């Protein structure tokens, strides 16, 4: 799998197809090969900890040799995020306005999108700063729609901030003429926005760098996952994010016996054919359906042997 050579790997896909298992197996394999690896779960319904029978949580924790893990808790991150925004605007807003601004921010905390923005900030922090401490980052993401939003945010937020900056520049220019005899004044809000914009574009560069970052989608040989994967890949493609690897997971093994499984296998063959036709450019990795769930490191090792 070429993608295993990248230093940042995102694993996405529809709910329940095997994202967490695949991400854990990839991280497990990388760690065994001697890479200092960080496995990050961005899914609010975490299950990475289950596989390693460890409680992971919001701080980076070493869970095996060379292997570290982190489960991002959107609620905790939102709290931290709002606190940092409050700290950032201190000094930029008149003290008598502070109470009202805080009230607005606390309302914002509960608004839709706040968790996502906070998660996104954390992600950027991992990609820009935390990466320096690791050889590999493996992201286990939430089901498809969410992942796509997350990955396309640097671009969307970039455009949005550009708009805000433009407004700010105009307002400042007007004030400057009116109040300061044309002397430019300092604007802390402008600076904060500018800094965020720089971080977004740096993160975007990393995500778009084919040498550095790889995207994997996991799917099962069934009708809906194929359709959803196709849609997701097309959308990501529009944002210049190219998914070159697909893990086709839970493929019935050839030796599956009994009339029922034989019948299922017959249908599955058509879906496998459809996958090959729909994704001619992608590397396809097949992982069989095991006779039981992947619940421990032994099973994970078995699973990871298919990820060549
Ligand atoms: N090849 C396989 N054989 C047998 N069981 C598997 C296989 N792959 C995954 N599983 C099991 O399927 C279940 C779902 O897998 P997993 O949690 O990795 O999916 P997910 O895509 O992360 O799900 P979610 O969208 O809920 O996060 C788990 O119980 C896992 O152990
Ligand atoms: Mg999962």
């Amino acid at each position: 799998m070429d993608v295993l050579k990248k230093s940042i790997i995102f694993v996405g896909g529809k709910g329940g197809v095997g994202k967490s298992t695949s991400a854990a197996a990839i991280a497990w394999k990388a760690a065994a090969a001697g890479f200092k690896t960080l496995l990050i779960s961005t899914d609010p319904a975490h299950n990475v900890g289950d596989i390693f029978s460890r409680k992971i949580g919001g701080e980076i924790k070493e869970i095996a040799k060379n292997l570290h893990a982190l489960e991002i808790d959107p609620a905790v991150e939102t709290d931290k995020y709002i606190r940092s925004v409050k700290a950032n605007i201190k000094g930029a807003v008149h003290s008598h306005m502070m109470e009202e601004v805080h009230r607005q921010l606390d309302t914002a905390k509960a608004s839709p999108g706040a968790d996502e923005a906070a998660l996104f900030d954390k992600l950027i922090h991992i990609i820009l700063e935390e990466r320096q401490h690791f050889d590999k980052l493996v992201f286990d993401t939430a089901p498809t729609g969410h992942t796509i939003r997350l990955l396309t945010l640097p671009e969307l937020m970039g455009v949005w901030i550009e708009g805000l900056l433009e407004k700010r520049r105009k307002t400042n220019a007007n004030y400057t003429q009116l109040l300061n005899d044309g002397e430019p004044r300092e604007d802390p809000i402008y600076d904060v926005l500018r800094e965020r914009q720089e971080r977004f574009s740096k993160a975007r560069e990393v995500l778009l760098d084919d040498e550095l970052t790889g995207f994997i989608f996991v799917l099962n040989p069934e009708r809906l996952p194929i359709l959803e994967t196709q849609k997701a890949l097309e959308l990501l493609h529009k944002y210049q994010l190219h998914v070159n690897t697909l893990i086709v997971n839970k493929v019935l093994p050839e030796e599956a016996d009994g009339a029922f499984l034989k019948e299922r296998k017959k249908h599955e063959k058509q879906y496998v054919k459809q996958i090959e036709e729909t994704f001619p450019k992608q590397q396809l990795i097949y992982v069989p359906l095991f006779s039981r769930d992947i619940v421990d490191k032994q099973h994970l090792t078995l699973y990871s042997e298919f990820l060549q």
Side-chain angles (χ1 to χ4, degrees):
M1 236 169 147
D2 272 358
V3 71
L4 295 181
K5 300 197 186 92
K6 315 278 171 173
S7 30
I8 304 177
I9 301 168
F10 281 90
V11 182
K14 195 173 152 51
V17 290
K19 296 178 296 297
S20 298
T21 310
S22 300
I26 289 167
W28 180 243
K29 200 178 166 86
F35 296 102
K36 191 176 173 199
T37 305
L38 178 62
L39 173 61
I40 307 111
S41 172
T42 63
D43 187 345
H46 304 287
N47 37 25
V48 167
D50 296 344
I51 298 172
F52 292 96
S53 1
R54 291 282 290 268
K55 212 172 143 19
I56 294 174
E59 300 296 328
I60 294 177
K61 198 174 267 175
E62 187 169 6
I63 54 170
K65 186 162 181 272
N66 286 329
L67 183 58
H68 295 68
L70 169 69
E71 287 178 338
I72 303 176
D73 182 337
V76 172
E77 292 310 318
T78 311
D79 253 4
K80 275 198 221 159
Y81 180 70
I82 296 288
R83 248 182 285 140
S84 80
V85 175
K86 283 179 180 170
N88 260 334
I89 54 165
K90 228 184 205 167
V93 178
H94 264 299
S95 50
H96 64 270
M97 286 290 289
M98 223 40 186
E99 201 177 320
E100 174 59 18
V101 171
H102 277 201
R103 205 179 59 82
Q104 297 250 349
L105 280 171
D106 290 331
T107 315
K109 191 160 79 176
S111 69
D115 276 7
E116 211 165 30
L119 185 62
F120 180 64
D121 253 34
K122 178 78 177 180
L123 224 70
I124 289 195
H125 168 72
I126 294 170
I127 290 171
L128 295 184
E129 280 91 27
E130 213 59 72
R131 182 157 68 92
Q132 287 153 15
H133 309 297
F134 293 94
D135 302 316
K136 261 185 212 296
L137 304 179
V138 182
F139 288 95
D140 167 26
T141 64
T144 323
H146 197 89
T147 311
I148 291 178
R149 282 175 65 102
L150 219 56
L151 291 174
T152 52
L153 269 173
E155 168 139 343
L156 298 178
M157 300 278 261
V159 172
W160 178 68
I161 286 206
E162 187 49 53
L164 287 181
L165 281 168
E166 185 53 35
K167 258 198 204 147
R168 204 76 205 161
R169 266 194 291 268
K170 279 196 188 131
T171 320
N172 284 349
N174 289 344
Y175 269 118
T176 303
Q177 278 181 351
L178 274 172
L179 300 174
N180 297 8
D181 293 332
E183 279 295 306
R185 28 198 288 285
E186 280 184 31
D187 177 3
I189 294 186
Y190 185 90
D191 293 343
V192 169
L193 286 174
R194 176 98 230 153
E195 200 188 296
R196 280 180 73 79
Q197 190 195 32
E198 265 163 32
R199 287 178 68 77
F200 289 160
S201 65
K202 269 196 212 142
R204 208 175 119 70
E205 258 170 47
V206 174
L207 289 182
L208 291 184
D209 187 336
D210 281 346
E211 300 277 305
L212 220 54
T213 307
F215 300 94
I216 301 175
F217 258 67
V218 185
L219 76 164
N220 302 142
E222 289 166 6
R223 202 173 79 89
L224 287 177
I226 298 174
L227 293 178
E228 196 166 316
T229 304
Q230 189 179 13
K231 269 198 235 150
L233 261 55
E234 279 167 11
L235 193 61
L236 284 170
H237 195 72
K238 279 195 193 145
Y239 289 92
Q240 282 101 44
L241 300 170
H242 310 299
V243 180
N244 295 321
T245 311
L246 300 180
I247 295 179
V248 186
N249 186 24
K250 302 191 188 179
V251 180
L252 286 173
E254 284 303 333
E255 65 272 19
D257 47 14
F260 176 80
L261 285 178
K262 284 231 162 65
E263 182 63 19
R264 259 202 89 90
K265 184 81 197 155
K266 205 172 85 197
H267 285 286
E268 192 188 78
K269 281 214 163 97
Q270 290 169 6
Y271 287 127
V272 169
K273 192 159 160 271
Q274 192 185 342
I275 291 174
E276 285 166 0
E277 286 166 3
T278 314
F279 307 105
K281 291 195 189 131
Q282 279 72 19
Q283 186 193 8
L284 303 174
I285 311 284
Y286 294 95
V287 180
L289 176 71
F290 291 89
S291 53
R292 53 165 302 173
D293 282 9
I294 315 298
V295 288
D296 55 29
K297 293 175 192 167
Q298 278 79 19
H299 285 97
L300 206 57
T301 308
L302 275 179
Y303 190 101
S304 70
E305 275 163 15
F306 287 90
L307 307 179
Q308 298 293 345

